[in-house]
Amino acid sequence: MAHRIIDGCVNCWACEPLCPNQAIQAATPHFLIDPAKCNDCDGHYADPQCASICPIEGVILDGNGQAVNPPGSLTGIPPDQWATAMSEIRAR
Amino acid sequence: MTQLVSNSGTTAASGLCSSSGCPTSSSSNRGADRLAHLPEAIRARIHNHPCFSEEAHHHYARMHVAVAPACNIQCHYCNRKYDCSNESRPGVVSELLTPEQAIQKTLAVAAAIPQMSVLGIAGPGDPLANPERTLATFRGLSEKAPDIKLCLSTNGLALPGLVDEICRHNIEHVTITINCVDPEIGARIYPWIFWNNRRITGIKAARILIEQQQKGLEMLVERGVLVKINSVLIPGVNDRHLREVSRVVKAKGAFLHNLMPLIAEPEHGTFFGLMGQRSPTAAELQTLQNDCADGMAVMRHCRQCRADAVGMLGEDRCAEFTLDKIGAMEIDHDAAMQRRAETRAAIEAKRLAPPSATLVPIVTLMRRPSSATRTIRVAVASSDGQTINQHFGHAEEFFIYTADGASVRHIDTVRVGSYCSGPADCGEQSFILDDTIQALDGCAAVLCARIGIDIWGRLEAAGIMPNGEHAQERIEEAIAAVYPELTASRRLNQSDATPTRQVRHGGTR
Ligand code: SF4
Ligand code: SF4
Ligand code: SF4
């Protein structure tokens, strides 16, 4: 199984140098993971490195096709609390 | 103020402020450098640094190269599609260079612009999240152009581990962006960091980041590296807290604290922008700067330049040095270094010389001595800081003056995105104009060489009177000429409803 980068990646380069298997390629419209090289960081790190630094929710999928960073996981604001957070921030 | 050594490769349009005088000191003899209180040894070292010395930025040029794309933290005011917001206005994208290309570009620019004194790496991400690329660039330059100072800006997370490596190169200045020293406040600015191969979130993340920043600051100071601190003022988050930050970083030996306003527009797609977090008003920023100034030198002339900026502060000549153009340049490096040494000597000789005799005391420029004492602000579009010679839409910065019936003084320079700099920017015109109008908030008028009719209306509606009647006139004289009509008109009374700000010499950014 391998991780996958999908549409929405902003080509920020953060993941590329971290991959222990050099599986990540700078590409357009978005970066790509070579499935033949990615081993999910097994034997290298506890967490997949690319998905641990990626700043964009939802753009890296694990081997099961699940988003490693689902909505709300990176902003710290779950989708159902977005409106409340917004009104708090607007009151500043 | 004296004239700069002219630069042969300069075109009139993108001039390297080669004809510019120093508006700060020509408009007032109180234009003393804000660094005057610092110890002699430190002053000498920043003397030629255009980003640190208010006076040097009229004489020397700096450039940034964009070699470091990755970042290891997230700031809520940054959209990672674009360059690091700590170093640039949001929405800017720089052309990424390899270290080899960056070295080549720097040498080409330094050969063409002998005023070049500083090379900085400030992005597009965090230079220390890409240590190999950053250090390879520095290594090459210390070898090939040892006269050029190197500097670095970082969020601080990876700093302690790299301090010794950094100090091996010709590095004199490091800028750390420190927005807080309290993890609870930090958690509202930084949602996560990447640390020891894991993502860490919340207060724990902020605590680590703060510890690393403070440790990095201490280590650099111990090793004699100059450290500047940047802080972004975020209303309702760290506005009160920044006084504490200023106190702490000063106690640890930072030599300058640069307070920058948060820029948060929804169009930039940042978390804060999308959530409707507001930016500070000019008055809020100024109050904070004044409060912090008691504690330490506060820098007010930072233009938040972009990661691949080339030229004098407030100008950008990067279009002249694209990769294909520098590839075609033949450079004699020894001759270039020699020319820089001569240029430096000439600049220093002029900086030491007494002010030119052509300066007229400002008071005598007032055409009609007036008993009015009302202070108004006037913005000016000028490429050289001396004459009103710019089209409103082409201006990338505005000189802000105050006039009070007795004198006209340059107090600030605000940087804006010029809204018609080329077809590539067209889609962004209208929000840049909004930005510009906001930046000119509090000004009774804006003097420029020319202005489009549609923009005229927008400015008038915002209470800022556009005026193109004084094109090519000297700034102080033109402001003295418009002062009576501005103070007489009803428009001023309206804009007077905003209380006149207590303006201290030195500006707000
Ligand atoms: S999961 Fe690990 S091995 Fe796979 S691409 Fe990401 S960093 Fe590389
Ligand atoms: S870190 Fe995420 S957004 Fe950045 S290049 Fe990699 S996949 Fe794309
Ligand atoms: S350090 Fe710079 S690039 Fe990284 S998130 Fe903050 S503003 Fe953006």
Side-chain angles (χ1 to χ4, degrees), chain A residues 3 18-21 23-24 33 37-41 48-51:
Chain A
H3 280 66
L18 294 181
C19 176
N21 300 314
I24 301 170
I33 293 173
K37 289 189 179 170
C38 170
N39 73 343
D40 305 323
C41 286
Q49 294 300 286
C50 53

Side-chain angles (χ1 to χ4, degrees), chain A residues 17-92:
Chain A
L18 294 181
C19 176
N21 300 314
Q22 284 80 49
I24 301 170
Q25 296 149 11
T28 46
H30 58 75
F31 279 40
L32 292 170
I33 293 173
D34 179 346
K37 289 189 179 170
C38 170
N39 73 343
D40 305 323
C41 286
D42 266 0
H44 296 282
Y45 300 104
D47 300 337
Q49 294 300 286
C50 53
S52 299
I53 201 167
C54 178
I56 309 294
E57 291 170 350
V59 302
I60 299 188
L61 308 183
D62 64 16
N64 299 320
Q66 296 296 308
V68 187
N69 303 304
S73 63
L74 298 188
T75 57
I77 312 226
D80 58 337
Q81 287 169 35
W82 190 262
T84 322
M86 196 185 250
S87 55
E88 272 169 32
I89 289 174
R90 278 173 199 259
R92 281 175 187 163

Side-chain angles (χ1 to χ4, degrees), chain B residues 366 372-379 400-405 407-409 411 442-445 478-489 491-493 495-496 500-501 503:
Chain B
M366 303 297 290
T373 52
R374 182 185 287 156
T375 303
I376 57 166
R377 280 185 164 222
V378 177
I400 309 290
Y401 282 75
T402 57
D404 63 6
S407 65
V408 175
R409 282 187 294 151
I411 52 144
C443 292
I479 293 175
V482 297
Y483 181 80
E485 48 188 275
L486 285 170
T487 43
S489 77
R491 194 169 313 281
L492 178 74
N493 294 336
S495 69
D496 239 17
T500 312
R501 296 189 183 101
V503 183

Side-chain angles (χ1 to χ4, degrees), chain B residues 267-287:
Chain B
E267 300 90 318
H268 298 141
T270 64
F271 176 83
F272 277 157
L274 295 172
M275 295 301 265
Q277 164 72 47
R278 72 177 178 91
S279 300
T281 63
E284 282 172 320
L285 181 64
Q286 202 153 15
T287 306

Side-chain angles (χ1 to χ4, degrees), chain B residues 341-375:
Chain B
E342 285 161 13
T343 303
R344 244 163 248 159
I347 292 172
E348 288 313 303
K350 294 213 172 188
R351 287 172 82 182
L352 286 174
S356 106
T358 57
L359 287 182
V360 184
I362 299 310
V363 177
T364 66
L365 293 172
M366 303 297 290
R367 286 184 185 166
R368 273 184 271 155
S370 149
S371 59
T373 52
R374 182 185 287 156
T375 303

Side-chain angles (χ1 to χ4, degrees), chain B residues 72-105:
Chain B
N72 47 11
I73 69 171
Q74 181 66 52
C75 305
H76 269 329
Y77 48 76
C78 180
N79 178 349
R80 296 275 292 281
K81 235 192 226 165
Y82 307 119
D83 288 7
C84 173
S85 295
N86 286 336
E87 293 311 320
S88 199
R89 296 171 67 85
V92 170
V93 184
S94 299
E95 180 188 26
L96 184 66
L97 305 179
T98 64
E100 297 68 38
Q101 290 168 328
I103 294 166
Q104 200 189 0
K105 178 171 174 178

Side-chain angles (χ1 to χ4, degrees), chain B residues 434-508:
Chain B
D434 287 345
D435 269 6
T436 305
I437 290 175
Q438 208 183 337
L440 302 185
D441 176 41
C443 292
V446 55
L447 306 186
C448 52
R450 292 180 62 193
I451 184 166
I453 190 73
D454 46 328
I455 297 153
W456 180 290
R458 299 273 306 276
L459 281 164
E460 249 192 331
I464 304 167
M465 193 58 207
N467 185 322
E469 288 164 23
H470 296 271
Q472 309 311 328
E473 288 181 24
R474 286 188 55 86
I475 294 173
E476 286 88 353
E477 289 173 44
I479 293 175
V482 297
Y483 181 80
E485 48 188 275
L486 285 170
T487 43
S489 77
R490 230 201 287 145
R491 194 169 313 281
L492 178 74
N493 294 336
Q494 283 164 3
S495 69
D496 239 17
T498 349
T500 312
R501 296 189 183 101
Q502 264 314 103
V503 183
R504 303 216 331 208
H505 191 88
T508 53

